[in-house]
Amino acid sequence: LFLWDPEPEKLEKLRQWVLERYGLELEVDKEFRFVAFSLKKNYFGVYQQGGIDIKGLVGKKKNTPKFAKEAFNEILQKISGVEKPEEIVKVREWIKDLVHEIYTKLKNYEYTLDQLSFTVMLSKDVKEYVKNTPQHVKAAMMLIREGVQVSQGDNITFVKVRGKEGVKPIQLAKISEIDLDKYIEILRTTLEQVMLPLSIDWDEISGSVMKLHKFIS
């Protein structure tokens, strides 16, 4: 249960009512000076004393590429400095500018393969993947064909590229081969959960960015 700036006496009255009616004891768990809700009850909140609490957001996941994770963390760091709700207006514009900058860097191949890579562990031997072949397994098979020894438990680092296979191990890939559309979608899924609660429309940003790119190309 999230409450907006409740008066102490009203909060106590609510706690007593819930206890008497349902036999449940409510306790104050966290106090935020700012909180924003995303999809599926995920949220991020800025504590009164500073610092951020994150629940269920994609950018926090381990296998998010470095370029998107850095952008995600940079946005959260910016939001953590918000003292008053009206300050969000400036943060919204800053986020839009950041997305423009990232898109331009992707388009100009300014990121390294390391910044664009995924790392996934092989949970079993490559030969045991029969019914389906996940992306990291495809990358592992490419390494094996090149004479590289790959075993269960190894971490496979790969990037998304254009072409039939859709992936390449980082050791065999070139930055010019990356699939730009897929990385733009990765950026979207990583940041949109933060953008939506702040009323930032991805289509509006991506549309203006693409128009700008065509103009300067």
Side-chain angles (χ1 to χ4, degrees), residues 55-155:
K55 182 174 177 61
L57 301 185
V58 173
K60 193 180 178 183
K61 293 184 177 180
K62 184 178 179 180
N63 62 349
T64 302
K66 189 175 181 180
F67 88 101
K69 184 175 291 186
E70 287 179 345
F72 178 83
N73 290 334
E74 192 174 351
I75 289 174
L76 290 186
Q77 185 64 34
K78 191 75 172 181
I79 292 172
S80 69
V82 172
E83 295 287 346
K84 301 177 182 178
E86 51 267 28
E87 294 176 10
I88 284 296
V89 176
K90 293 182 180 180
V91 173
R92 289 177 71 254
E93 294 306 312
W94 178 86
I95 292 175
K96 291 180 182 180
D97 291 339
L98 178 65
V99 175
H100 279 242
E101 179 184 343
I102 295 172
Y103 178 88
T104 301
K105 289 181 70 174
L106 280 172
K107 197 75 174 178
N108 294 331
Y109 302 100
E110 294 179 17
Y111 285 109
T112 64
L113 291 174
D114 179 63
Q115 290 173 303
L116 301 173
S117 66
F118 297 81
T119 300
V120 182
M121 186 183 74
L122 282 172
S123 59
K124 52 187 177 182
D125 190 88
V126 172
K127 296 179 181 178
E128 296 181 45
Y129 290 90
V130 179
K131 293 185 178 180
N132 56 66
T133 309
Q135 292 184 325
H136 68 295
V137 178
K138 289 182 180 180
M141 290 177 173
M142 293 179 191
L143 289 174
I144 292 173
R145 289 197 291 269
E146 293 294 323
V148 179
Q149 185 175 352
V150 176
S151 306
Q152 178 182 351
D154 287 347
N155 286 323

Side-chain angles (χ1 to χ4, degrees), residues 208-217:
S208 63
V209 170
M210 290 177 186
K211 287 179 182 178
L212 177 62
H213 178 75
K214 290 180 181 179
F215 177 75
I216 63 177
S217 297

